[in-house]
Amino acid sequence: MDAKRSSAADRVPDHLLAWYDVAARDLPWRARPGEVADPYRVWLSEVMLQQTTVATVRPRFAAWAARWPDVASLAAADEADVMAAWAGLGYYARARNLVKAARAVVADHGGAFPRTETALRALPGLGAYTAASVAAIAFGEPAVVVDANVERVVARLFAIETPLPAARPAIRAAAATITPRVRAGDFAQGMMDLGATICTNRRPRCLLCPIRVDCSAHAQGIQERLPAKAAKRAKPQRHGTIFWLEHDGRVLLVRRPDKGLLGGMRAFPTGPWSDEPPGLAEAPVAAEWRWRPERVAHGFTHFDLDLALAIAEPARLANDVAGEWWPIDDLESAGLPTLFAKAARAIIDPVSRSSA
């Protein structure tokens, strides 16, 4: 370890923890001073917060915890109910893995979360970050926790100029040099809070930072351009059709395949998502489909999607139509993913912006 990193390892944990003791955010999943962290709440919050903001997660976490307050209740839950409750939080495989992991905790660990990072990694859906977070925050293990906020703090602290994502191994190695063996969970949460409130992506408030004396980027005046990011590649454009089949005040919903995007979720029938508009390909029934002028745009991680809307209201329906008929007035309770909720708003309220 070079002299700079050695001095940072000595000072940063003390300075950060002193700051955290007075400036920690009050979050509903966090243990208050003197309380023991609940590993279920820690795990649930970390999964919910992936690619989602704290402001969005707060009310969703509260509703979830009221419905499934512990790992046993979640393990006993119907997966369809869980998927519906997850609607709008994105990355729906995480919801399926929540149920699988809860059932594994109950079946294989007697309802108690394993305490080590290695054992936690063996649970369905717990990657390196989530396992480290639960191990550190819930059990005080000296695990190295690096989320996007911590990534930014460490990149600036050590002036790591390699662009992301290539910089991640170096950032994690640097984070390991300052992770203390005592109060590792508080340190991890303190780093998260620092990145969220002071060492922000734009206009970091360096004068308020408790560790700026050790920050190489601040010393060089380059903090606002770190962490560097590789140029984004343009995402491919795909096209599809959403089919709104309405009958007697109800609309047809189907279950998407378990594997793939939005797997296991209730949705409107769609045709293929392809490079060219597919028209009425794979319509759920033969009917007099009419095109709506509204369109729905949605961005996924690896591609952008543009969807046309086709509607039909046949007087009679064949008995073999696959799916479930859902009351249009109660569509909110179906737990539709954001993409299909946009389509519903566009059809029910044409004045609304379908891409909003």
Side-chain angles (χ1 to χ4, degrees):
M1 186 185 301
D2 60 32
K4 172 63 180 176
R5 294 197 177 195
S6 177
S7 63
D10 291 339
R11 287 193 297 262
V12 167
D14 288 344
H15 291 172
L16 184 81
L17 287 168
W19 171 82
Y20 179 72
D21 285 342
V22 297
R25 289 180 293 176
D26 183 13
L27 300 174
W29 45 85
R30 273 189 184 166
R32 299 181 183 278
E35 294 179 345
V36 177
D38 180 349
Y40 172 72
R41 295 172 73 87
V42 173
W43 165 63
L44 176 60
S45 67
E46 291 298 341
V47 175
M48 282 188 165
L49 285 165
Q50 293 170 25
Q51 306 295 323
T52 313
T53 65
V54 167
T56 298
V57 168
R58 275 182 184 272
R60 302 297 296 274
F61 178 89
W64 186 292
R67 187 171 185 181
W68 299 296
D70 51 37
V71 70
S73 59
L74 181 58
D78 184 277
E79 186 172 306
D81 292 339
V82 172
M83 297 297 286
W86 190 265
L89 289 172
Y91 294 90
Y92 292 91
R94 289 181 292 164
R96 292 195 297 274
N97 282 330
L98 280 171
V99 177
K100 291 177 182 177
R103 290 172 180 170
V105 169
V106 170
D108 302 334
H109 299 278
F113 277 83
R115 300 177 65 89
T116 68
E117 192 173 355
T118 300
L120 287 162
R121 283 292 303 271
L123 295 174
L126 270 77
Y129 167 74
T130 306
S133 297
V134 176
I137 298 170
F139 301 115
E141 294 291 312
V144 180
V145 181
V146 182
D147 70 351
N149 284 317
V150 177
E151 194 172 71
R152 184 168 57 256
V153 172
V154 173
R156 289 170 174 170
L157 185 64
F158 293 96
I160 297 172
E161 298 190 56
T162 303
L164 293 170
R168 286 189 173 130
I171 289 174
R172 192 180 190 286
T177 68
I178 58 173
T179 299
R181 297 195 63 81
V182 178
R183 294 189 68 188
D186 287 344
F187 179 80
Q189 292 176 109
M191 290 287 279
M192 295 174 191
D193 283 8
L194 186 68
T197 63
I198 290 179
C199 194
T200 49
N201 194 41
R202 296 181 181 178
R203 298 180 182 176
R205 301 189 293 166
C206 297
L207 290 178
L208 299 178
C209 179
I211 59 174
R212 73 176 181 277
V213 66
D214 284 300
C215 183
S216 294
H218 175 66
Q220 299 173 50
I222 59 173
Q223 63 270 29
E224 292 203 42
R225 64 178 179 85
L226 295 181
K229 296 181 181 179
K232 289 185 178 180
R233 295 181 180 180
K235 291 194 289 186
Q237 180 71 58
R238 294 185 185 174
H239 304 269
T241 302
I242 285 179
F243 296 100
W244 176 281
L245 187 62
E246 181 177 337
H247 182 69
D248 195 24
R250 297 172 180 265
V251 65
L252 180 67
L253 300 181
V254 297
R255 288 276 182 191
R256 293 186 60 80
D258 285 340
K259 293 185 178 180
L261 289 170
L262 311 178
M265 300 295 294
R266 289 191 185 99
F268 302 121
T270 70
W273 295 350
S274 52
D275 293 338
E276 299 295 331
L280 297 176
E282 299 183 18
V285 297
E288 293 184 8
W289 293 100
R290 306 190 310 277
W291 295 106
R292 290 290 295 255
E294 302 84 10
R295 303 185 75 84
V296 173
H298 193 76
F300 290 101
T301 303
H302 300 297
F303 65 92
D304 290 323
L305 183 62
D306 178 73
L307 290 158
L309 304 177
I311 67 171
E313 300 177 48
R316 283 192 287 178
L317 292 171
N319 293 327
D320 60 351
V321 177
E324 54 186 324
W325 293 95
W326 203 274
I328 295 172
D329 291 341
D330 191 36
L331 264 180
E332 286 189 4
S333 70
L336 296 176
T338 301
L339 162 61
F340 296 99
K342 289 179 183 179
R345 288 197 301 270
I347 292 171
I348 296 171
D349 181 12
V351 177
S352 68
R353 290 181 175 269
S354 61
S355 60

